[in-house]
Amino acid sequence: MRIDEILYTQGFGTRRVCAGLVQQGYVTVGGAPVSEPAEEFETAGLRFTVQGTEWEYHERAYLMLHKPAGTECSQKPSTYPSIYTLLPSPLRQRPNKGAVQGVQAIGRLDQDTTGLLLLTDDGQFIHRMGSPRHHVPKVYEVSTKHRVDDGQVQRLLAGVVLDDDPRPVRAAACEIAGPHRLSLTLTEGKYHQVKRMLAAVGNRVEALHRSRIGMLALPEDLAPGQWRWLDLAQVEALRNARASQPAAGGDR
């Protein structure tokens, strides 16, 4: 593939801008400068630098982000900074056939919720991970205002009714992790679901953290605000993720 086309697919600007970056000597491959936009390279495993920024070619972008509190999962945030400001500009500018460019978050977390968030520019992957049919389990660590007890756990597992749906929604799994802590596994998605489910059993969420999606756990060494590429094995495991049994639940 031409080097200017490679830069374009990776989000370094329009085709004209990418050609200009090459012509002005801002691009190196294997430490050697590239000056001809039409020079071709094999993309598999290709690493290059653009104006000192090191980059590896990815045909599709699959990322994990440790979402910090006080951020919104929106391109046009209303009150808090957008999570997209935590990403380098190439990831925000990757060309896409749709109206919105760059990687997109798969589902949303509330501004005060922290933890694992997936982003990609693969529309089919977004649909696969967000579809209620696939029941991808998501694990949340919940800090509560009041003490948790077995009665609350059993009600969450049996199902509670929320005000927007007469059908009970239930946790796929729920364990007491401390006097004021629950580990809650949900599937599918409803607005503010964790908070509303806890309210339905007489408690209140004080803090909420998503620690796992499918078999993918948030790495302990990934600090709030940091992101990381997913490897092929992780992407494939997420594609195959499915709850052991269908259960109604939420992603917030």
Side-chain angles (χ1 to χ4, degrees), residues 150-206:
D150 289 336
Q152 293 176 15
V153 170
Q154 294 307 313
R155 288 180 63 191
L156 291 169
L157 290 171
V160 295
V161 175
L162 305 181
D163 54 14
D164 63 344
D165 192 339
R167 296 173 299 176
V169 291
R170 61 185 183 274
C174 184
E175 297 180 355
I176 296 176
H180 294 265
R181 290 184 61 84
L182 284 174
S183 179
L184 192 67
T185 302
L186 304 178
T187 63
E188 300 185 25
K190 284 184 176 290
Y191 183 66
H192 286 178
Q193 181 133 3
V194 175
K195 296 173 182 177
R196 294 160 67 202
M197 288 180 72
L198 266 292
V201 299
N203 214 321
R204 176 177 173 177
V205 173
E206 295 287 273

Side-chain angles (χ1 to χ4, degrees), residues 1-10 12 22 27-34 36-50 53-60 94 229 232:
M1 185 185 295
R2 289 170 53 120
I3 187 63
D4 59 348
E5 184 70 12
I6 289 172
L7 298 187
Y8 170 71
T9 65
Q10 300 303 288
F12 283 93
V22 177
V27 180
T28 64
V29 177
V34 182
E36 292 296 330
E39 187 170 349
E40 297 201 353
F41 294 87
E42 292 290 335
T43 56
L46 179 66
R47 295 176 179 271
F48 55 92
T49 63
V50 181
T53 298
E54 296 184 2
W55 204 258
E56 182 177 357
Y57 177 86
H58 289 83
E59 183 177 0
R60 289 290 189 183
R94 288 174 69 96
W229 294 101
L232 293 177

Side-chain angles (χ1 to χ4, degrees), residues 14 62 77 124 154-155 158 203 234:
T14 64
Y62 303 93
Q124 290 185 343
Q154 294 307 313
R155 288 180 63 191
N203 214 321
Q234 290 171 324

